[in-house]
């Protein structure tokens, strides 16, 4: 009976080791956030320019256009997390979280800017 339990435990270990992670480790998340810095800067620059230079456009449409124009700057984040062995759903969720943080930071940045640039 002990041998059967030991055999079952040994057989289960490799299967557990191959199970993909469901979240990004703190070290990898920190590196991904660093790589997303270019995206964050693009949002701040683009949103700031468009926000100041437009009159009464729909702010949601404006934000969607800015986000779409800067989205290619997240390619290094996708590549890095994929290289680290994370599954596509984990990579996608992490990118969404990084985008949400960057969007909030960019909007806060724009609201701190003076209305007109000289």
């Amino acid at each position: 009976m002990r041998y059967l339990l030991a055999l079952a435990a040994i057989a289960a270990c490799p299967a557990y080791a191959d199970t993909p992670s469901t979240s990004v480790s703190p070290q990898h998340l920190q590196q991904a956030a660093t790589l997303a810095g270019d995206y964050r800067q693009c949002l701040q620059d683009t949103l700031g320019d468009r926000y100041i230079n437009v009159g009464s456009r729909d702010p949601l449409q404006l934000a969607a256009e800015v986000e779409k124009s800067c989205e290619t700057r997240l390619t290094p984040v996708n590549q890095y997390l994929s290289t680290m062995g994370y599954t596509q759903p984990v990579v996608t969720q992490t990118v969404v979280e990084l985008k949400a943080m960057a969007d909030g930071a960019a909007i806060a940045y724009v609201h701190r800017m003076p209305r007109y640039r000289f």
Side-chain angles (χ1 to χ4, degrees):
M1 183 67 159
R2 279 190 237 169
Y3 297 114
L4 186 57
L5 289 175
L7 184 59
I10 291 171
C13 286
Y16 180 74
D18 292 338
T19 303
S21 177
T22 58
S23 65
V24 177
S25 73
Q27 295 84 8
H28 293 159
L29 185 59
Q30 182 178 10
Q31 180 62 25
T34 301
L35 291 171
D38 193 32
Y39 173 76
R40 191 177 315 107
Q41 188 63 47
C42 177
L43 285 178
Q44 289 175 357
D45 294 345
T46 309
L47 186 59
D49 291 342
R50 292 188 186 181
Y51 182 77
I52 290 171
N53 293 329
V54 297
S56 61
R57 286 185 49 196
D58 179 24
L60 294 176
Q61 181 183 5
L62 175 65
E65 289 173 5
V66 169
E67 186 177 324
K68 185 79 170 162
S69 70
C70 294
E71 211 165 59
T72 58
R73 309 267 176 117
L74 289 170
T75 303
V77 176
N78 283 319
Q79 291 172 343
Y80 171 72
L81 293 174
S82 295
T83 303
M84 292 294 111
Y86 294 103
T87 62
Q88 190 56 44
V90 172
V91 171
T92 302
Q93 181 61 34
T94 303
V95 168
V96 167
E97 291 170 6
L98 290 172
K99 283 174 68 174
M101 288 188 289
D103 291 349
I107 290 170
Y109 171 79
V110 169
H111 285 289
R112 287 191 309 266
M113 292 174 62
R115 184 66 181 150
Y116 300 102
R117 290 186 188 176
F118 296 105

